[in-house]
Amino acid sequence: QVQLVESGGGLVQAGGSLRLSCAASGRTFSIYTTTMGWFRQAPGKEREFVANIRWKDSSTLYADSVKGRVTISRDIAKNSAYLQMNSLKPDDTAVYYCALDTNGGQYDYWGQGTQVTVSS
């Protein structure tokens, strides 16, 4: 059974940084079809896309709201992805979820989420 475990969330002051980690386990993932993404959901808001990374070529995609402040990376040997977040703003406060697309289609596995709180 596939499991995604996020870590690295916490409380940080505006302007600070956090690094989120996501580790996948439970099966072997194809480097050619796997994409790992990060999403977030703030209280009272819809879940929104933050960033993703394709394993085969490390190509990345970012939401406009985080572009220039966030960097996604991956370590295939560890089945892991990371989200380095800098210059954090109170609007970045949300539960951050890691998600895995193993077939080049939709995200079919999700983590339990990690809370990020940015104080002003």
Side-chain angles (χ1 to χ4, degrees):
Q1 184 172 350
V2 175
Q3 281 192 315
L4 300 179
V5 178
E6 301 106 331
S7 61
L11 173 64
V12 64
Q13 288 189 331
S17 299
L18 281 174
R19 185 175 187 250
L20 306 183
S21 299
C22 175
S25 63
R27 52 169 271 199
T28 301
F29 305 103
S30 169
I31 188 175
Y32 302 105
T33 60
T34 297
T35 297
M36 191 169 274
W38 286 95
F39 293 76
R40 67 186 182 185
Q41 187 166 20
K45 294 187 177 181
E46 298 282 322
R47 185 171 61 192
E48 65 175 0
F49 169 80
V50 176
N52 70 15
I53 185 165
R54 291 198 311 186
W55 283 17
K56 67 178 180 180
D57 58 9
S58 294
S59 63
T60 58
L61 185 66
Y62 296 95
D64 288 344
S65 58
V66 302
K67 205 171 290 185
R69 301 186 298 118
V70 165
T71 302
I72 189 170
S73 60
R74 56 99 170 105
D75 185 334
I76 293 176
K78 295 182 179 179
N79 283 341
S80 295
Y82 309 94
L83 193 70
Q84 178 66 44
M85 303 189 294
N86 301 321
S87 302
L88 283 163
K89 307 173 183 179
D91 283 350
D92 295 317
T93 295
V95 177
Y96 283 71
Y97 296 92
C98 173
L100 192 62
D101 168 6
T102 61
N103 294 306
Q106 61 184 10
Y107 291 97
D108 35 13
Y109 300 103
W110 293 82
Q112 81 287 353
T114 185
Q115 177 70 46
V116 171
T117 303
V118 184
S119 63
S120 57

